[in-house]
């Protein structure tokens, strides 16, 4: 089958899988699925960083099908996240993951004022996490201040909340915070070979670099694959919003590193540096990287407009580099479709073998953001995507 026809056929499988699943899981905020049934974090952990992704899936499905049931379910989930906005300790740097996928997506589609207000409150909180001495956004909360100087590569995906807020309010503070953080990330997180560190610790008083940690990857100095995917995708996004070619060049370097490490079978390990006899996989990393690679290919072939009046300098002629990025994305998505997707409506999850962190006790289980990014990537290929970031 031609690749384009394959993508359309997978989009059809997505549209077929979800109506029944969304109906029987009404009111839930899933993180994972147990024995084929979504769990529900509503009353367990409303502040968990992944709580926007099911909402994001629902908005993608609504955008692609026009089915009101998806929109209603997405808005119900969005309402519940007001509890997060009211809890200081729940409001960490992952506000982009929580609110771009929910309130901001709603605002983009419906123009609803309540949703805009939620997005702006989240953006103001995110900007308030900026440490002006070290030029970084603090990642997590800790009442003793032990991680006051910690920043993580994942935050690159949260910066679009600031770019959005800047555009909506015409207040450039949000933009400046995003750019300063992105510059710090470019300098301290990206290694010579194009791989990315997960956690970097700065001195929160002087702003000086102290050390880096392996974080959710195998060890210090290793290459946690989801972190590589966040870096690759996050730097393209900062390029789209700023037109700063340094961000695009960074995304290209990370993409080259990622592509050169894709195993022959197209299935992604938890860490590119994990021991050779370790077979642990992270399907989420694969889906995120695929979606980012498609976006990179679209930018490099002039198919994606930049934001804020910046002109995409790339022409319509497909470059060799864009072709490589697109080929890699197809390889990842086709491997997931063939080997790691549950296509029946009898199981709530889509992707199998997702891993939250290398050193967790539990590995290779369904995780909601894997499903989100797989759907986003497919709809990006078929032109049915709602651009969430
Ligand atoms: N952003 C946290 C993670 O990727 O696990």
């Amino acid at each position: 089958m031609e690749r384009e026809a394959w993508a359309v056929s997978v989009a059809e499988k997505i549209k077929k899988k979800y109506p029944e699943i969304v109906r029987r899981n009404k009111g839930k905020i899933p993180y994972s699925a147990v024995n084929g049934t979504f769990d529900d974090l509503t009353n367990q952990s409303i502040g968990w960083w992944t709580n926007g992704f099911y909402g994001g899936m629902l908005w993608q499905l609504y955008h692609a099908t026009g089915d009101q049931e998806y929109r209603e379910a997405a808005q119900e989930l969005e309402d519940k996240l007001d509890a997060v906005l009211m809890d200081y300790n729940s409001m960490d740097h992952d506000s982009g993951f929580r609110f771009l996928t929910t309130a901001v997506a709603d605002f983009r589609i419906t123009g609803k004022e309540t949703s805009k207000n939620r997005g702006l409150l989240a953006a103001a909180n995110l900007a308030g996490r900026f440490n002006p001495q070290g030029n970084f956004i603090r990642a997590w909360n800790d009442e003793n201040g032990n991680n006051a100087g910690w920043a993580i590569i994942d935050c690159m995906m949260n910066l679009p909340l600031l770019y959005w807020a800047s555009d909506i309010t015409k207040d450039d503070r949000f933009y400046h915070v995003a750019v300063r953080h992105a510059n710090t990330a470019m300098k301290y997180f990206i290694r010579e070979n194009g791989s990315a560190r997960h956690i970097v610790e700065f001195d929160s008083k002087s702003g000086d670099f102290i050390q880096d940690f392996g974080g959710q990857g195998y060890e210090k100095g290793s290459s946690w694959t989801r972190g590589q995917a966040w870096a690759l995708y996050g730097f393209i996004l900062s390029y789209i919003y700023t037109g700063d070619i340094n961000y695009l060049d960074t995304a290209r370097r990370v993409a080259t590193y990622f592509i050169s490490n894709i195993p022959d079978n197209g299935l992604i390990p938890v860490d590119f540096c994990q021991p050779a006899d370790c077979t642990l996989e992270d399907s989420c990393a694969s889906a995120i990287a695929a979606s980012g690679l498609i976006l990179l290919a679209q930018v490099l072939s002039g198919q994606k407009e930049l934001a804020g009046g910046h002109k995409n300098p790339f022409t319509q002629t497909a470059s060799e580099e864009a072709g490589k990025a697109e080929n890699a994305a197809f390889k990842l998505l086709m491997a997931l479709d063939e080997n790691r997707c549950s296509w029946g409506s009898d199981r709530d999850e889509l992707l199998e073998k997702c891993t939250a962190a290398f050193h967790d006790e539990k590995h290779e289980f369904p995780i909601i953001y894997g499903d989100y990014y797989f759907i986003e990537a497919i709809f990006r290929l078929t032109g049915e995507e709602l651009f969430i970031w």
Side-chain angles (χ1 to χ4, degrees):
M1 200 189 297
E2 291 284 328
R3 290 194 321 190
E4 285 65 28
W6 169 83
V8 170
S9 75
V10 178
E12 290 311 312
K13 288 197 279 188
I14 290 169
K15 289 175 205 164
K16 191 155 170 239
K17 178 175 169 76
Y18 281 100
E20 214 177 301
I21 291 172
V22 169
R23 232 163 276 146
R24 70 168 174 256
N25 285 290
K26 238 180 151 328
K28 286 188 184 175
I29 304 183
Y31 168 65
S32 184
V34 181
N35 300 326
T37 300
F38 277 148
D39 60 7
D40 181 13
L41 297 198
T42 305
N43 299 314
Q44 276 177 48
S45 186
I46 192 70
W48 188 234
W49 75 275
T50 65
N51 282 357
F53 284 106
Y54 187 55
M57 273 169 62
L58 293 165
W59 282 117
Q60 293 292 358
L61 288 162
Y62 172 68
H63 189 256
T65 65
D67 183 337
Q68 293 298 326
E69 275 193 86
Y70 295 130
R71 173 173 160 161
E72 284 160 21
Q75 288 177 327
E76 190 183 340
L77 187 148
E78 177 189 335
D79 289 346
K80 290 185 179 181
L81 296 191
D82 280 355
V84 184
L85 284 171
M86 290 305 294
D87 179 18
Y88 180 77
N89 280 323
S90 289
M91 293 295 288
D92 59 22
H93 77 123
D94 281 327
S95 279
F97 286 128
R98 294 189 195 91
F99 294 97
L100 285 167
T101 48
T102 54
V104 177
D106 191 348
F107 173 70
R108 288 191 208 275
I109 286 188
T110 66
K112 217 170 81 187
E113 278 298 311
T114 332
S115 302
K116 176 173 134 186
N117 183 50
R118 287 165 171 154
L120 290 177
L121 284 172
N125 184 281
L126 182 59
R129 303 186 68 79
F130 184 67
N131 180 319
Q133 192 65 18
N135 287 311
F136 66 88
I137 292 173
R138 178 183 179 177
W140 300 303
N141 298 319
D142 154 25
E143 279 171 7
N144 300 319
N146 293 332
N147 61 19
W150 287 25
I152 71 173
I153 193 64
D154 322 27
C155 192
M156 289 304 300
M157 293 297 291
N158 292 314
L159 300 186
L161 181 64
L162 300 175
Y163 295 125
W164 169 80
S166 208
D167 181 43
I168 289 294
T169 60
K170 308 295 171 227
D171 181 340
D172 298 318
R173 291 174 305 147
F174 296 105
Y175 181 94
H176 292 314
V177 167
V179 162
R180 292 236 212 140
H181 178 90
N183 291 343
T184 300
M186 208 159 47
K187 178 167 175 193
Y188 290 101
F189 283 78
I190 307 303
R191 305 185 186 110
E192 273 296 302
N193 67 354
S195 67
R197 294 163 157 175
H198 183 202
I199 302 174
V200 170
E201 180 180 15
F202 301 94
D203 184 315
S204 62
K205 289 194 172 59
S206 68
D208 294 341
F209 170 86
I210 298 179
Q211 60 184 322
D212 69 298
F213 301 104
Q216 285 160 251
Y218 175 58
E219 63 181 1
K220 183 179 163 82
S222 72
S223 297
W224 176 47
T225 53
R226 200 160 66 254
Q228 312 310 302
W230 293 141
L232 150 64
Y233 200 154
F235 277 104
I236 308 163
L237 291 170
S238 271
Y239 173 63
I240 288 173
Y241 287 104
T242 64
D244 183 339
I245 203 76
N246 292 308
Y247 299 147
L248 181 66
D249 287 344
T250 304
R252 288 163 124 167
R253 287 174 55 218
V254 180
T256 301
Y257 173 82
F258 196 102
I259 292 169
S260 66
N261 279 284
I262 297 174
D264 289 342
N265 66 6
L267 300 168
I268 296 301
V270 180
D271 194 308
F272 284 133
C273 304
Q274 69 194 33
D277 60 355
C278 172
T279 59
L280 290 178
E281 289 173 27
D282 181 17
S283 300
C284 298
S286 183
I288 297 160
S291 198
L293 286 165
I294 299 163
L295 188 59
L296 176 65
Q298 290 178 343
V299 166
L300 292 176
S301 56
Q303 289 174 52
K304 175 78 188 161
E305 293 295 326
L306 307 190
H310 300 289
K311 201 171 152 24
N312 185 344
F314 297 93
T315 61
Q316 298 289 335
T317 40
S319 70
E320 193 183 326
E321 192 184 355
K324 275 191 188 156
E326 198 181 49
N327 288 345
F330 272 105
K331 177 167 180 155
L332 295 173
L333 294 171
M334 285 175 158
L336 290 174
D337 172 36
E338 235 171 79
N339 306 291
R340 298 289 178 256
C341 283
S342 295
W343 282 117
S345 294
D346 54 325
R347 296 191 74 84
D348 291 344
E349 75 273 20
L350 177 55
L351 290 193
E352 297 156 0
K353 296 206 176 205
C354 302
T355 293
F358 189 91
H359 293 290
D360 281 356
E361 275 176 22
K362 192 174 167 191
H363 303 100
E364 300 190 325
F365 58 102
I367 308 184
I368 196 72
Y369 47 89
D371 297 2
Y372 171 81
Y373 282 101
F374 184 88
I375 293 170
E376 178 189 270
I378 295 296
F379 286 170
R380 184 164 286 171
L381 286 172
T382 59
E384 293 166 290
E385 174 204 16
L386 169 69
F387 197 78
I388 289 254
W389 311 103

